[in-house]
Amino acid sequence: MSDVTTMAAGSKSLPLLFLGQNTDPHSERGVECPGALPPASDPDLVQRALTAKAALGDQVFVLGHHYQRDEVIQFADVTGDSFKLARDAAARPDAPYIVFCGVHFMAESADILTNDDQTVILPDLAAGCSMADMARIQQVEAAWDALADAGVADVTVPVTYMNSSADIKAFCGRNGGVVCTSSNAETALNWAFEQGEKVLFLPDQHLGRNTAVRQLGLALDDCVVYDPHKKDGGLTREQLAAAKMILWRGHCSVHGRFTAESVDDVRARVPGVNVLVHPECRHEVVTKADQVGSTEYIINALDEAEPGTSWAVGTELNLVQRLAKQHTDKNIVFLDKTVCYCATMNRIDLPHFVWALENLVAGQVVNPIKVDAATQHYAKVALDRMLALPGKTARD
């Protein structure tokens, strides 16, 4: 089923041109956005960032998510996925300030895992995550009540993807559940099915479905989608009783846009191409792909790929562009023909980054991310359960 809005019949898609720069979409190599991003309004921003970071020294530790734009990630002390970065922050207890160049739920996780003497800062509070926002705590609690009314809550284990708010993680901690990443989702689901008969998977239906069907061997009919905007999720008692996987109706607005037609098209255009996608993509996309894996998996696969090979990558465009620049001996293209940046991640830009650092130099903390003690406690319960799972290192 599709959660991505399509264009009206008969309409034509247009290339995205920033400030009207460049007009030739046919020159696109697959990782180049038609038209250059506009330069920073202040030409001295890079130097100001360098100066502020040098003045702060060991007082600040900068984390940069893989999906960040290059102008920001160049200042990161470490780069990685959300959970790796949160653990990296926890491994630096002497740094009083953690500047997280990512999105809100990532900064929350860093606050949960760091000590009380550290402050996590998000340069722009508007940098959220559309997927995380698709599961609000009031909705999830109402869904749990619906499962209880259907007589299945006591045999259901909640599992939430790392890409969720702290209060959703805490909900799982309170109710015997666990957090997972895209790397260890299979292990987390196996653990959950040892605890109960069913799983309520939050908030990404695609990761839940892909893991259950591709890795656990469940059938598509074992999965139902709970829609929080419908009474009882739009499901009958009989459907809830029969289901093994109760999937929240959420998705990543970036990965959800890739289609089976995107795969067919790139295979027709690029001879011998290897299609490599993230498991947040739709089931029909991962079924057609050659390889499926987390962001770290994608990076490692391209690091190890043979020179001269061709790859179409289905993940966020900033990362695909960066990988193409790093591996000029390989033909790395973007899976979709249209631009696909993570809009909320891109809110962390150089002006916001400089603003946050220069305020720290002046002794002012802006945009601190603080998770309340009760939420922090139960969210950490769910995270600790994940860390206790056997097998793969937890990564997104």
Side-chain angles (χ1 to χ4, degrees):
M1 72 185 60
S2 172
D3 291 308
V4 180
T5 301
T6 56
M7 300 187 70
S11 63
K12 296 181 179 179
S13 60
L14 297 174
L16 179 59
L17 301 176
F18 290 93
L19 301 183
Q21 298 174 15
N22 294 4
T23 57
D24 185 13
H26 302 295
S27 66
E28 185 181 13
R29 180 173 174 243
V31 295
E32 297 297 329
C33 173
L37 288 172
S41 58
D42 183 346
D44 298 323
L45 280 176
V46 170
Q47 186 56 51
R48 287 170 63 181
L50 290 169
T51 301
K53 195 165 185 286
L56 292 165
D58 292 340
Q59 286 189 296
V60 68
F61 189 50
V62 179
L63 308 174
H65 191 272
H66 286 310
Y67 296 168
Q68 272 300 319
R69 56 176 80 199
D70 286 345
E71 71 180 49
V72 171
I73 209 165
Q74 65 179 311
F75 296 104
D77 294 304
V78 294
T79 60
D81 289 318
S82 59
F83 187 61
K84 174 187 178 294
L85 292 176
R87 294 184 75 181
D88 285 342
R92 289 290 298 268
D94 296 331
Y97 303 113
I98 307 295
V99 177
F100 207 127
C101 298
V103 295
H104 196 271
F105 79 81
M106 301 177 188
E108 285 185 330
S109 296
D111 183 57
I112 290 166
L113 294 177
T114 52
N115 64 51
D116 292 340
D117 296 327
Q118 293 177 285
T119 300
V120 178
I121 294 166
L122 186 66
D124 186 352
L125 292 179
C129 170
S130 60
M131 179 200 296
D133 288 343
M134 291 177 193
R136 302 300 180 96
I137 186 59
Q138 296 88 351
Q139 295 174 322
V140 175
E141 288 173 341
W144 200 248
D145 289 341
L147 296 184
D149 290 342
V152 299
D154 58 343
V155 294
T156 302
V157 178
V159 177
T160 190
Y161 188 22
M162 193 72 190
N163 299 26
S164 57
S165 63
D167 49 14
I168 301 301
K169 293 181 177 75
F171 171 88
C172 290
R174 287 194 305 270
N175 291 281
V178 69
V179 178
C180 76
T181 69
S182 54
S183 287
N184 71 359
E186 177 185 5
T187 303
L189 287 182
N190 278 324
W191 174 88
F193 281 118
E194 291 171 359
Q195 318 305 311
E197 299 174 11
K198 304 174 186 294
V199 167
L200 172 63
F201 194 89
L202 304 153
D204 180 21
Q205 61 168 302
H206 300 307
L207 177 62
R209 181 183 296 106
N210 289 330
T211 306
V213 175
R214 294 181 64 253
Q215 296 177 277
L216 269 63
L218 298 183
L220 286 173
D221 288 344
D222 291 323
C223 306
V224 295
V225 177
Y226 186 99
D227 186 342
H229 302 291
K230 295 180 179 179
K231 184 179 185 319
D232 296 331
L235 300 170
T236 65
R237 287 175 175 246
E238 292 75 20
Q239 287 174 307
L240 289 172
K244 296 283 288 180
M245 289 286 294
I246 303 167
L247 306 168
W248 195 261
R249 190 177 183 272
H251 65 279
C252 171
S253 56
V254 170
H255 293 102
R257 70 175 294 123
F258 299 115
T259 64
E261 290 73 24
S262 301
V263 180
D264 293 338
D265 177 74
V266 79
R267 290 200 193 280
R269 288 187 291 111
V270 184
V273 69
N274 298 282
V275 178
L276 173 60
V277 303
H278 195 281
E280 290 176 20
C281 293
R282 305 182 204 185
H283 185 68
E284 57 267 28
V285 174
V286 303
T287 300
K288 287 198 165 203
D290 298 301
Q291 294 186 44
V292 182
S294 67
T295 305
E296 292 286 346
Y297 178 96
I298 290 171
I299 292 169
N300 292 336
L302 293 176
D303 285 344
E304 297 168 4
E306 292 292 327
T309 53
S310 294
W311 297 81
V313 185
T315 192
E316 203 273 345
L317 184 53
N318 271 316
L319 175 59
V320 180
Q321 289 177 317
R322 192 171 300 125
L323 290 169
K325 292 174 184 176
Q326 292 170 356
H327 299 286
T328 55
D329 60 334
K330 300 152 195 171
N331 178 30
I332 299 173
V333 302
F334 189 55
L335 179 57
D336 199 2
K337 282 185 173 181
T338 55
V339 173
C340 193
Y341 291 110
C342 176
T344 50
M345 187 77 70
N346 270 267
R347 288 182 181 274
I348 307 297
D349 56 14
L350 199 49
H352 283 90
F353 180 73
V354 170
W355 172 74
L357 289 190
E358 289 185 339
N359 270 280
L360 285 179
V361 172
Q364 300 173 354
V365 177
V366 295
N367 294 355
I369 302 298
K370 289 292 181 184
V371 179
D372 68 87
T375 301
Q376 187 172 113
H377 170 77
Y378 283 107
K380 194 168 186 303
V381 168
L383 286 165
D384 285 342
R385 286 186 186 130
M386 178 181 74
L387 292 173
L389 294 174
K392 297 178 182 178
T393 302
R395 289 176 180 163
D396 290 359

